[in-house]
Amino acid sequence: MSPLETLTDPLFRLPFAAGLLAALTLPLLGNLLRLREEWLAALGLAHLSAAGALGGLGLGVPAIAGGPVAAGVGALFKGLAGARGNTAYALMILLGWSATLVLAASTALGESLAHAMVDGQLYFAGWPELAGLGLFAVLTLAGLPWLMPRLLRARFFPEHERANRLPAWRWHLAFDLLVAAGMALGTATVGLMGAFALAFLPAWAAFGVAPGWRAGLVVSASLGLAAYLGAFVAALALDQPFGPILVAALLVLSAGARFYGRLRREPAGAG
């Protein structure tokens, strides 16, 4: 089967579309997480969502619903506690990891389901995953123009909110919940490490190569989409699991972009 036939095969249309939405939106959120020095949020919320998905399945709740609920509770607790930085998300990683393993050992299908959440189950994605990611993409693309100026101002002029008595908790909490939903849906679609890589690696590359904020958004989204398209075709052609191929593609493209950015800056620094 040729790459074009793979992308147009009815069996893979829904998974391809669902993953494509994750590959477009998660890198954009990753830029803001890196700006806030909270890039560990992606991994912490992914672990919580994996535990929530398994716990929900044990209660008869679909994984696509259990994951976002657990990640949303974690983000809500972090926001109401006023926590900033990566410490809260490191605690989420430990809690989610331990809960996932305990739940996996406590149910008959838990171990296989846990492996599916970690490795990615993109080719089994259907209408629920596509609908969830479609709604998330709409909310993200509609909400970021409102959120980004406020989050940028909070990062570079933190005293502005206090001096003007602005309700800053609203946009900080809104962003935390948006990230929680994105990581939960991404984990249920491309796997825990795949979702983390989409949020972390393109933004890491963009911060090293882009000349400005808007260019950084374009670079990160482009890297996410390019890696996803290549990984989708390669995983099918080579008969390999999708998650590891996606992470490998993101590593190669993002490291290459960082290296290119470094080479481009060196002549200017030497002069």
Side-chain angles (χ1 to χ4, degrees), residues 198-265:
L198 280 171
F200 174 72
L201 288 172
W204 168 70
F207 271 59
V209 70
W213 177 252
R214 291 184 179 178
L217 295 175
V218 173
V219 168
S220 61
S222 299
L223 287 172
L225 289 172
Y228 173 76
L229 292 172
F232 191 92
V233 175
L236 285 174
L238 300 174
D239 193 23
Q240 295 295 316
F242 175 77
I245 299 295
L246 174 63
V247 172
L250 285 165
L251 280 169
V252 170
L253 290 180
S254 299
R258 288 280 297 200
F259 183 68
Y260 169 75
R262 182 177 178 181
L263 289 179
R264 193 178 62 176
R265 287 193 302 269

Side-chain angles (χ1 to χ4, degrees), residues 21 24-25 130-145 178:
L21 291 173
L24 171 65
T25 51
L130 180 60
L133 280 162
L135 177 60
F136 168 73
V138 170
L139 291 175
T140 299
L141 297 178
L144 283 182
L178 192 65

Side-chain angles (χ1 to χ4, degrees), residues 7 14 24 36 50 66 71 94 103 109 129 140 146 148 168 177 192 204-205 208 213 247:
L7 296 178
L14 288 181
L24 171 65
R36 284 160 50 114
L94 297 174
L103 290 168
L109 296 176
E129 289 79 11
T140 299
W146 180 82
M148 277 194 293
L177 292 174
L192 190 153
W204 168 70
W213 177 252
V247 172

Side-chain angles (χ1 to χ4, degrees), residues 7-89:
L7 296 178
T8 57
D9 191 306
L11 182 63
F12 298 114
R13 285 176 187 168
L14 288 181
F16 174 76
L20 192 68
L21 291 173
L24 171 65
T25 51
L26 292 183
L28 298 178
L29 297 181
N31 277 36
L32 286 166
L33 288 172
R34 193 164 190 85
L35 176 77
R36 284 160 50 114
E37 298 181 354
E38 290 185 345
W39 54 265
L40 203 57
L43 192 56
L45 292 168
H47 274 82
L48 276 187
S49 67
L54 284 179
L57 287 172
L59 298 173
V61 178
I64 196 65
V69 169
V73 169
L76 184 63
F77 180 80
K78 178 255 183 187
L80 294 178
R84 291 288 182 269
N86 282 320
T87 300
Y89 296 113

Side-chain angles (χ1 to χ4, degrees), residues 159-229:
E159 297 300 323
H160 178 81
E161 295 174 343
R162 299 190 190 97
N164 292 276
R165 297 182 179 180
L166 298 175
W169 65 271
R170 293 191 304 177
W171 44 85
H172 290 296
L173 181 58
F175 178 69
D176 288 341
L177 292 174
L178 192 65
V179 173
M183 292 310 302
L185 292 167
T187 299
T189 306
V190 299
L192 190 153
M193 295 308 296
F196 171 63
L198 280 171
F200 174 72
L201 288 172
W204 168 70
F207 271 59
V209 70
W213 177 252
R214 291 184 179 178
L217 295 175
V218 173
V219 168
S220 61
S222 299
L223 287 172
L225 289 172
Y228 173 76
L229 292 172

Side-chain angles (χ1 to χ4, degrees), residues 74-144:
L76 184 63
F77 180 80
K78 178 255 183 187
L80 294 178
R84 291 288 182 269
N86 282 320
T87 300
Y89 296 113
L91 297 176
M92 291 183 192
I93 292 173
L94 297 174
L95 174 61
W97 176 79
S98 59
T100 299
L101 292 185
V102 169
L103 290 168
S106 302
T107 59
L109 296 176
E111 186 173 357
S112 61
L113 291 171
H115 279 300
M117 293 298 296
V118 172
D119 298 338
Q121 49 183 348
L122 176 65
Y123 301 130
F124 298 101
W127 282 111
E129 289 79 11
L130 180 60
L133 280 162
L135 177 60
F136 168 73
V138 170
L139 291 175
T140 299
L141 297 178
L144 283 182

